Amino acid sequence: MKSTKKELPKSQIELTITISTEEYEPHLRKAAEKISQKIKIKGFRKGHAPYDIVEKEAGEMAILQEALETIVQKSYVEAIKEHKLSVIGMPQIAIEKVAPKNDVVYKATVALLPKVTLADIKKIKVPKDVKKITKKDVDETLKALRGMQAEEIVKKGPAKGTDKLVLDLEMTQNGVVVEGGSSKDYQVYLSEDHYIPGFNKEVTGLKKGDDKKFQLTFPKGHYQKQLAGKTIDFAVTVKEVYERKLPELNDDFAKKLGQDSAEKLVELVKGNMQKEEEKKAEQKREIAILDSLIEKSTFADLPEVLIDSEKEKIFHELQRDLQKNGVSVDQYLQDIKKTEDELRKGFEEQAQRRAKAALISRFVAKENDITISEEDITQEIELMKKSYEHNKEAQENLKRPEVRDSIAIMIQNKRVMSLLKERVETKAAKKKPSKDKKAA
């Protein structure tokens, strides 16, 4: 393998890497084996066809393309070590030449670790404000648990109190049905807060057979980004109203939930709720520690490749969130009236912060000899495999070198944060007057 180095502005390096046919030949063998597992070759079991047969069936170029990712990964790591570079983030790869029986040539633009002057951790004070669970909080949760086992009786009169409605719903904007805005047999529980403020109020008082049209504005922070902050027209038709009779909070009810008595159930619910608040407060404190360190530390010019890498991660995270809610990126861009380039530009501030947070983690780890061993990574992967026990694709992804690298960074970040929390002083949180002073 040959590699040359070229310095670029803002702490970046461009590596031109050349791998000979002799060097990448072993990768071709493994790639052919992978291909033979995917395609059916007459006379051979999947994964057992000889290389020359796979080459004849799939073609030399297909094998080389399959091998290219591992060729680049291995040679890139070797080039980094050869030039003794301290890099951060993922490189930008541009393939220059790839053809069977020829050298593979590519360029890798990579960010060097910029200089960081870390703020004095001992001078940073961050509050830890843990909400105290009240009797009202516990009662609301217990009511929700009782609601899960409520008896439902058809009701002829108007919906009120803790009743349930079954209705057909249509949401439109400028006369056009919004994506995912049409629903049959939609269930609404008046005792629970609806995800659109004001919805329950609009349908309270309706009875079977009633139609109603109204407008509501979605919250600005709504998970469906294309609807956030928008005023939408609603049309509902009530198909049924049910009166819901909740079971009594007694020992029999508690036993159905695996507890000996109602008293034990109340204790369990309160304890779990308090633990959840502790967890939330700890997460807020971690964010506050990082924010304070970012604000009070100084950084050399951040490499563009590092910022672009963070923007790409943010974009893919948004894409996954949209897909979970059945929305395409194209539809989202159309709704917010932006191009993809404009959307990515809007990630600049968030990408800068994430890049600085990564630099701080790297710096603290180096200064405090926090190293992640192969054993640490393997142990974490074994735990993750249990979560993906029935997902073969996820299991395979865990074997990828870049996934191992990501897991190493994740473990490092956790250990760095544990260290920071030990050293950062916890400032007493300001006490807020409580409207419900009576605790459970």
Side-chain angles (χ1 to χ4, degrees):
M1 184 199 78
K2 298 176 184 177
S3 64
T4 58
K5 181 180 72 172
K6 178 183 174 183
E7 293 187 4
L8 301 177
K10 293 190 175 181
S11 302
Q12 296 181 116
I13 292 289
E14 181 186 83
L15 296 170
T16 300
I17 300 171
T18 303
I19 309 100
S20 69
T21 53
E22 292 79 10
E23 288 172 312
Y24 68 68
E25 196 272 339
H27 296 287
L28 296 180
R29 297 284 168 185
K30 290 182 180 178
E33 187 179 329
K34 282 185 180 179
I35 290 174
S36 71
Q37 290 171 346
K38 298 175 186 176
I39 64 174
K40 190 175 181 180
I41 300 176
K42 191 175 180 179
F44 296 94
R45 287 183 295 128
K46 282 191 174 182
H48 290 78
Y51 180 86
D52 57 337
I53 300 295
V54 178
E55 184 181 62
K56 184 179 177 182
E57 291 288 328
E60 289 180 284
M61 192 62 192
I63 296 174
L64 182 53
Q65 289 287 1
E66 179 72 32
L68 192 58
E69 187 176 351
T70 54
I71 293 169
V72 169
Q73 286 171 353
K74 187 173 185 297
S75 57
Y76 168 73
V77 172
E78 289 174 358
I80 292 300
K81 290 178 180 177
E82 179 186 334
H83 294 283
K84 298 178 181 178
L85 301 176
S86 295
V87 302
I88 188 166
M90 299 299 292
Q92 289 183 344
I93 304 295
I95 304 297
E96 298 280 303
K97 181 182 174 183
V98 56
K101 296 181 174 62
N102 281 272
D103 293 348
V104 169
V105 183
Y106 69 91
K107 292 184 185 295
T109 304
V110 62
L112 297 180
L113 192 64
K115 185 180 179 182
V116 178
T117 305
L118 194 67
D120 188 346
I121 297 173
K122 293 178 182 177
K123 291 183 179 179
I124 292 176
K125 297 180 180 180
V126 175
K128 182 179 178 181
D129 190 4
V130 184
K131 177 189 171 184
K132 184 73 175 176
I133 294 299
T134 64
K135 184 178 185 302
K136 181 182 177 183
D137 297 325
V138 176
D139 287 345
E140 286 176 355
T141 299
L142 289 169
K143 187 176 180 181
L145 288 172
R146 291 163 60 208
M148 291 177 187
Q149 299 188 31
E151 181 186 1
E152 296 182 350
I153 304 167
V154 174
K155 181 179 180 181
K156 293 182 179 179
K160 61 181 180 179
T162 60
D163 290 349
K164 181 182 91 170
L165 296 93
V166 177
L167 45 83
D168 289 344
L169 166 71
E170 189 170 81
M171 296 186 287
T172 58
Q173 186 179 31
N174 300 324
V176 179
V177 179
V178 302
E179 191 167 352
S182 182
S183 181
K184 300 290 185 183
D185 298 328
Y186 182 67
Q187 297 185 11
V188 179
Y189 295 86
L190 296 182
S191 58
E192 299 175 6
D193 291 335
H194 197 271
Y195 74 97
I196 309 168
F199 187 92
N200 283 4
K201 185 179 178 181
E202 292 289 347
V203 298
T204 296
L206 299 181
K207 59 184 183 298
K208 183 177 180 178
D210 283 350
D211 296 316
K212 186 175 182 180
K213 293 182 178 181
F214 52 92
Q215 284 188 332
L216 289 173
T217 301
F218 277 68
K220 290 183 178 179
H222 188 66
Y223 72 89
Q224 288 176 284
K225 306 297 182 183
Q226 77 278 13
L227 297 178
K230 302 286 179 63
T231 298
I232 301 297
D233 294 309
F234 290 78
V236 300
T237 299
V238 181
K239 300 177 79 171
E240 204 66 83
V241 176
Y242 294 90
E243 180 183 355
R244 304 178 74 243
K245 291 188 176 181
L246 275 60
E248 292 295 321
L249 178 59
N250 53 29
D251 291 351
D252 288 338
F253 175 73
K255 285 173 183 176
K256 288 180 181 179
L257 297 178
Q259 299 303 307
D260 295 332
S261 65
E263 184 182 358
K264 290 284 186 183
L265 178 61
V266 172
E267 287 176 7
L268 178 68
V269 168
K270 182 183 177 184
N272 287 344
M273 291 178 73
Q274 194 61 60
K275 285 177 185 175
E276 186 60 29
E277 290 303 323
E278 287 276 353
K279 185 179 176 181
K280 288 179 185 176
E282 199 61 39
Q283 289 171 343
K284 285 182 181 178
R285 184 167 181 261
E286 288 177 3
I287 293 170
I289 288 171
L290 264 183
D291 285 343
S292 186
L293 281 172
I294 288 170
E295 181 187 347
K296 296 176 181 178
S297 301
T298 57
F299 303 83
D301 284 344
L302 298 182
E304 288 296 331
V305 66
L306 183 56
I307 302 300
D308 289 343
S309 175
E310 292 299 333
K311 285 182 181 179
E312 194 65 24
K313 290 176 189 175
I314 296 167
F315 178 79
H316 285 301
E317 287 164 11
L318 172 63
Q319 192 175 37
R320 283 197 300 270
D321 288 342
L322 291 171
Q323 285 174 347
K324 284 178 185 176
N325 295 293
V327 180
S328 67
V329 173
D330 290 340
Q331 179 63 47
Y332 176 65
L333 292 171
Q334 186 179 327
D335 290 333
I336 63 174
K337 295 178 173 60
K338 285 185 178 180
T339 64
E340 188 174 314
D341 284 342
E342 288 171 336
L343 178 68
R344 289 175 185 273
K345 284 178 183 176
F347 297 153
E348 183 70 28
E349 187 177 336
Q350 188 183 356
Q352 290 262 358
R353 184 196 175 278
R354 286 170 58 148
K356 289 178 179 178
L359 288 170
I360 286 173
S361 180
R362 178 88 170 247
F363 181 87
V364 173
K366 187 177 179 181
E367 290 294 302
N368 292 276
D369 295 324
I370 296 175
T371 57
I372 310 303
S373 67
E374 286 299 316
E375 185 181 353
D376 293 329
I377 300 169
T378 301
Q379 285 178 355
E380 187 67 30
I381 287 176
E382 289 305 313
L383 290 173
M384 295 173 78
K385 279 182 179 178
K386 292 178 183 177
S387 302
Y388 300 116
E389 192 174 354
H390 304 294
N391 188 330
K392 288 185 178 180
E393 186 179 349
Q395 293 265 3
E396 283 301 312
N397 283 337
L398 289 173
K399 298 176 184 177
R400 296 164 69 93
E402 65 270 28
V403 173
R404 290 185 70 88
D405 291 342
S406 297
I407 291 170
I409 292 170
M410 178 192 72
I411 299 170
Q412 174 189 285
N413 290 342
K414 283 182 181 179
R415 293 182 182 176
V416 165
M417 182 51 70
S418 295
L419 179 71
L420 291 174
K421 286 193 289 188
E422 287 175 10
R423 296 185 180 179
V424 171
E425 186 178 336
T426 302
K427 183 172 66 176
K430 291 181 181 178
K431 290 185 178 180
K432 296 180 182 179
S434 176
K435 292 180 182 178
D436 187 356
K437 293 182 180 179
K438 191 175 181 182

